[in-house]
């Protein structure tokens, strides 16, 4: 009986952990004959909790963005920016004034390109200053994080599973120890009563009690205590330093990356703000470069086509921005230093605040997981009764 109870404890814990993460999408016949992992099923809510956890006590994105030096940013973009500007100038002039660009001598064309290239860093610096001075004006970071995690449910799972991997292993293993201990009590109860009901009842209790104890031992007690020389401290609480590093690493490499932030600026709900800034700067630069010759340019190209040229130039700058900006991603990631920032700030959280990093993933469906474990334990207990009691009785009757 202790062995069977240990098996029940192990299987119910294994099921509880698997139920948190798998499957990523609903499998079965809706609404009742099927299952979806508890975290993927509530992807939107869990992603929002993850974002709120990050920003409530770990990072301030505005403060992080202020670490970016526009001059350093331009230096990283120097080569790709020059290439992008040259391609843009050639394409626009060829399209809006066919034959003119090809008819110009090469030294003249090179001079025009160099003039635009000389102005491009100023445009980038101005854009960088405006973005870093109020990042939330140009990108809805919460929307970006939540939408990315909802779209990539495996990444949402990893945000919990990778950080709490040792604790998840503990949950599964604990079922063996707790189950065996309860199995001893079950054996005594069976010896005293000889009742077949002992099996399913204790199976139910084994699934319920072991799930409840394992989940709570992850987080409680929040502060280290000693009882009869035994160290009592929540498993997750013990690993604060390691959790900070792993959590920060995952956020920096998978969620708040320079690429994701740029995409959020270019395609998120507030992308019109960045587009307006880019259009303004590009138009200003073109007007400045036209200088005294602007009336002649308008006369040659046409007023409407000149305005269309400026609009088209801004649109192409935005369209090619992700590719052009690739060279600055390494510098931006280093400047933001999200990984180390999270690791350091996690050290000064209170035990309660630290618990909230991972607890919501379990707390959200804790009762469901415990109840499923209890029901499974009861079913296995009834199977135990069938094997240990009813089957021998049936074989004995047949033998007679």
């Amino acid at each position: 009986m202790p062995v069977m109870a240990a098996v029940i404890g192990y299987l119910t814990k294994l099921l509880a952990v698997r139920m948190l993460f798998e499957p990523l999408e609903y499998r079965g016949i809706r609404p009742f004959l099927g299952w979806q992992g508890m975290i993927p099923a509530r992807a939107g809510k869990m992603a929002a909790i993850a974002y709120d956890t990050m920003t409530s006590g770990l990072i301030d994105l505005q403060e992080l963005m202020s670490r970016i030096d526009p001059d350093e940013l331009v230096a990283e973009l120097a080569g790709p920016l020059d290439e992008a500007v040259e391609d843009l100038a050639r394409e626009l002039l060829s399209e809006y004034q066919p034959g003119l660009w090809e008819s110009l001598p090469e030294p003249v064309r090179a001079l025009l390109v160099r003039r635009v290239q000389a102005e491009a860093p100023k445009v980038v610096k101005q854009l960088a200053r405006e973005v870093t001075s109020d990042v939330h004006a140009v990108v809805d970071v919460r929307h970006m994080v939540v939408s990315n995690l909802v779209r990539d449910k495996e990444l949402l799972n990893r945000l919990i599973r990778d950080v709490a991997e040792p604790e998840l292993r503990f949950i599964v293993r604990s079922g063996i120890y707790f189950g065996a201990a309860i199995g001893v009590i079950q054996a005594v109860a069976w010896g005293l009563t000889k009742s077949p009901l002992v099996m399913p009842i204790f199976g139910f209790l084994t699934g319920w009690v072991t799930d409840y104890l394992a989940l709570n031992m992850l987080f409680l007690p929040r502060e280290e205590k000693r009882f009869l020389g035994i160290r009592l401290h929540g498993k997750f609480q013990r690993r604060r330093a390691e959790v900070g590093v792993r959590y920060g690493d995952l956020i920096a490499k998978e969620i708040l990356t320079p690429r994701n932030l740029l995409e959020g600026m270019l395609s998120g709900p507030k992308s019109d703000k960045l587009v307006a800034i880019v259009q303004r700067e590009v138009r200003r630069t073109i007007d400045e470069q036209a200088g005294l010759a602007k009336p002649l340019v308008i006369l040659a190209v046409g007023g409407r086509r000149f305005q269309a040229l400026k609009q088209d130039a801004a649109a192409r700058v935005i369209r090619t921005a992700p590719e052009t900006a690739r060279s600055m991603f390494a510098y931006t990631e280093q400047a933001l230093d999200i990984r180390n920032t999270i690791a350091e700030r996690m050290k000064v959280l209170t035990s309660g605040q630290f618990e909230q990093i991972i607890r919501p993933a379990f707390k959200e469906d804790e009762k469901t997981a415990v109840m499923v474990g209890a029901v499974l334990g009861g079913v296995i207990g009834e199977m135990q009764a069938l094997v240990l009691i009813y089957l021998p009785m049936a074989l004995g009757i047949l033998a007679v």
Side-chain angles (χ1 to χ4, degrees):
M1 289 184 183
V3 172
M4 288 296 294
V7 172
I8 292 173
Y10 174 80
L11 291 177
T12 54
K13 298 305 132 321
L14 184 63
L15 178 65
V17 170
R18 295 286 294 273
M19 285 174 62
L20 279 174
F21 305 105
E22 300 174 14
L24 292 179
E25 304 296 339
Y26 189 90
R27 291 184 184 176
I29 303 174
R30 292 183 183 275
F32 302 115
L33 297 178
W35 184 259
Q36 183 179 11
M38 296 176 185
I39 292 175
R42 292 164 175 77
K45 185 173 183 178
M46 296 305 301
I49 291 173
Y51 175 80
D52 293 340
T53 299
M54 280 186 283
T55 55
S56 61
L58 295 178
I59 57 174
D60 178 352
L61 190 60
Q62 184 58 58
E63 184 268 325
L64 295 181
M65 293 296 288
S66 66
R67 300 174 181 178
I68 296 176
D69 183 344
D71 291 323
E72 290 284 345
L73 200 65
V74 169
E76 295 293 330
L77 284 171
L81 189 60
D82 283 347
E83 293 179 11
V85 166
E86 182 173 359
D87 292 341
L88 180 63
R90 292 178 184 277
E91 290 173 6
L92 288 173
L93 289 173
S94 297
E95 180 177 338
Y96 283 87
Q97 193 61 29
L100 175 61
W101 179 259
E102 290 76 8
S103 65
L104 291 175
E106 181 58 33
V108 176
R109 284 185 286 181
L111 177 61
L112 289 172
V113 169
R114 284 198 300 271
R115 286 190 60 182
V116 180
Q117 287 174 335
E119 288 297 314
K122 299 177 184 178
V123 175
V124 173
K125 284 182 185 180
Q126 182 60 29
L127 289 173
R129 290 191 186 98
E130 295 201 32
V131 169
T132 55
S133 65
D134 188 4
V135 65
H136 295 289
V138 295
V139 58
D140 187 337
V141 186
R142 194 176 199 275
H143 176 272
M144 180 200 76
V145 171
V146 171
S147 59
N148 284 347
L149 289 177
V150 169
R151 184 171 58 251
D152 189 351
K153 295 184 178 68
E154 176 58 29
L155 176 57
L156 179 61
N157 275 349
R158 287 176 53 211
L159 192 60
I160 307 299
R161 190 173 54 213
D162 288 8
V163 173
E165 184 179 0
E167 285 72 31
L168 295 175
R169 288 200 303 265
F170 164 77
I171 288 177
V172 176
R173 289 198 305 264
S174 69
I176 299 174
Y177 313 130
F178 293 147
I182 295 175
V184 173
I185 303 174
Q186 178 186 2
V188 174
W190 163 253
L192 294 175
T193 64
K194 296 297 190 294
S195 172
L197 292 177
V198 168
M199 307 296 183
I201 290 175
F202 270 86
F204 181 91
L205 289 175
T206 299
W208 179 69
V209 173
T210 55
D211 273 7
Y212 181 81
L213 287 176
L215 287 171
N216 279 278
M217 285 180 67
L218 295 185
F219 308 103
L220 301 174
R222 294 190 178 101
E223 305 297 337
E224 183 176 339
K225 298 179 181 179
R226 293 282 177 176
F227 179 74
L228 299 178
I230 301 174
R231 181 191 183 193
L232 301 177
H233 198 196
K235 295 287 185 181
F236 190 62
Q237 298 283 357
R238 294 182 192 180
R239 292 195 314 117
R240 178 176 294 220
E242 182 183 347
V243 168
V245 172
R246 297 183 72 173
Y247 191 74
D249 194 55
L250 191 58
I251 297 299
K253 291 184 177 180
E254 302 282 358
I255 298 177
L256 291 180
T257 66
R259 180 179 294 278
N260 286 346
L261 287 170
L262 180 61
E263 290 179 356
M265 293 177 190
L266 294 175
S267 59
K270 297 182 179 180
S271 59
D272 59 318
K273 304 289 182 60
L274 182 65
V275 169
I277 295 173
V278 172
Q279 288 176 339
R280 184 195 69 208
E281 291 301 312
V282 170
R283 288 171 180 170
R284 180 185 60 78
T285 302
I286 292 176
D287 286 337
E288 288 181 357
Q289 289 303 301
L292 296 176
K294 184 177 177 180
L296 297 177
V297 173
I298 294 176
L299 182 63
V301 177
R304 289 185 179 181
R305 283 180 62 80
F306 184 65
Q307 295 302 321
L309 181 148
K310 292 192 288 185
Q311 188 77 12
D312 195 10
R316 297 190 191 202
V317 167
I318 293 170
R319 188 168 60 248
T320 59
E323 183 64 27
T324 306
R326 287 177 59 186
S327 62
M328 76 174 187
F329 287 160
Y331 162 73
T332 306
E333 183 177 340
Q334 181 182 3
L336 296 177
D337 197 21
I338 292 175
R339 178 180 181 272
N340 292 325
T341 299
I342 288 179
E344 289 301 317
R345 292 182 180 174
M346 198 170 281
K347 294 178 182 178
V348 300
L349 295 178
T350 66
S351 298
Q353 290 172 330
F354 180 72
E355 180 180 325
Q356 291 307 308
I357 293 171
I358 202 78
R359 184 69 186 253
F362 294 92
K363 196 68 175 178
E364 182 70 19
D365 290 290
E366 194 170 295
K367 292 181 180 179
T368 302
V370 170
M371 185 52 62
V372 170
V375 172
L376 179 63
V379 172
I380 297 177
E382 185 62 31
M383 294 172 61
Q384 182 185 15
L386 178 66
V387 173
L388 297 180
I389 300 174
Y390 297 118
L391 184 59
M393 288 174 59
L395 291 176
I397 293 172
L398 289 176
V400 172

